[in-house]
Amino acid sequence: MDTVLVRISEFIQDQRLANQWEPSTVKMMHTLRHHLARFGQAHDLSYFDAEGIDRFVAYLRRDAGLQEISVRKNYKNLIWFLHWAVRKGYMPREQLLTNKQKFKIVQKPVIFLTREELLRVYNYKVPPTGTVVTLRDSDGKEYSKRITGSAAIGRARDLFCFCAFTSLRYSDMAKLCRTDIDQDYIYVTTQKTHDRLPIDLNSYAKAILDKYSRCRFKGNRALPVMSNQELNIYLKDLCELCGICSPVRIVKYCNGLRVEEVFPKWKRITSHCARKTFICYALSIGIPPVVVMKWTGHSDYKSMKPYIDIASDRKTAAMRLFDRMLAGEPPV
């Protein structure tokens, strides 16, 4: 049996217990193990000198066909594993001292709903299943869509909007119980950071909770939770129905080649966009970042920077409008 695969299995078992890994971290490390098994050349840890690591990274790009951001993630996880192997005495530290990798990473655009789009989603009345509706794409061309899963789309609307009004991640919203609700607040121990956060409830979030207050859900949950995969499917249907189709350009690198794709915005909406929507809107209306961080649980400004940059752009546009109004010019 390959020593590398034995050791990475040991690494996963050892560190998941020592560091209380979340299931997502365990899955991520099993993905690395899968790639190492498919790579098939590294039978022993001695393989991973600078050249061996280079060959594995080249395999991820060329043969596994991973995007550059995924290549970097797997590379970092490999180095994490190899440092553990050094501490265990399975390989000499000198093997890791000469390897440096460069990655072409293009920061993804922060995809969120504007105030108008969020209210459109919140107020949307989903037509009954079987209804055929006429929609327009970003070029104004009409097309027809038949409604399927009307009730599920309605639940997806409520779950997304609740997250957008409270800043909750899907994982925390899915575990929200009635006992976590105290009139004007909800108290959430986040799954990702394990912080205990009090989050103020605005009237929109309260209205969604009130809608389901007489329903009984498994585990005394406060909301009709569906799986994250289901939620993302129905969210795309919902946002398509709401006409959220402005173009979104995604730039990425695959095997060293720049790839650009343009999607209608609804195709890129996921449950996590709700949290991004909350942050972007809160900052754009002037709520200080330090207050937003109290709600979201962010521990440093680095993770908030992409949102702060967006808010700054919108404030610049607002100030230009202010200038035009003072000058007696019509708004544009």
Side-chain angles (χ1 to χ4, degrees), residues 32 35-36 39 41-42 47-79 82 99-105 254-256:
L32 173 61
H35 285 305
L36 287 169
F39 179 52
Q41 297 184 39
Y47 179 87
F48 288 109
D49 56 11
E51 291 184 2
I53 294 174
D54 286 345
R55 284 192 288 270
F56 180 66
V57 170
Y59 158 81
L60 294 174
R61 287 181 173 134
R62 183 184 60 250
D63 300 312
L66 300 185
Q67 294 181 30
E68 195 73 353
I69 192 168
S70 297
V71 174
R72 182 178 65 176
K73 180 183 294 185
N74 279 279
Y75 166 76
K76 287 185 174 181
N77 290 338
L78 174 67
I79 298 302
L82 295 178
N99 185 265
K100 298 292 182 182
Q101 296 286 331
K102 291 184 178 180
F103 300 93
K104 294 181 179 179
I105 305 295
C254 295
N255 198 19

Side-chain angles (χ1 to χ4, degrees), residues 7 44-49 53 78-79 81-96:
R7 293 307 184 198
D44 188 87
L45 287 170
S46 61
Y47 179 87
F48 288 109
D49 56 11
I53 294 174
L78 174 67
I79 298 302
F81 161 55
L82 295 178
H83 277 293
W84 170 87
V86 168
R87 293 197 305 273
K88 287 286 188 176
Y90 296 148
M91 61 183 290
R93 182 176 298 276
E94 290 73 21
Q95 278 186 229
L96 298 179

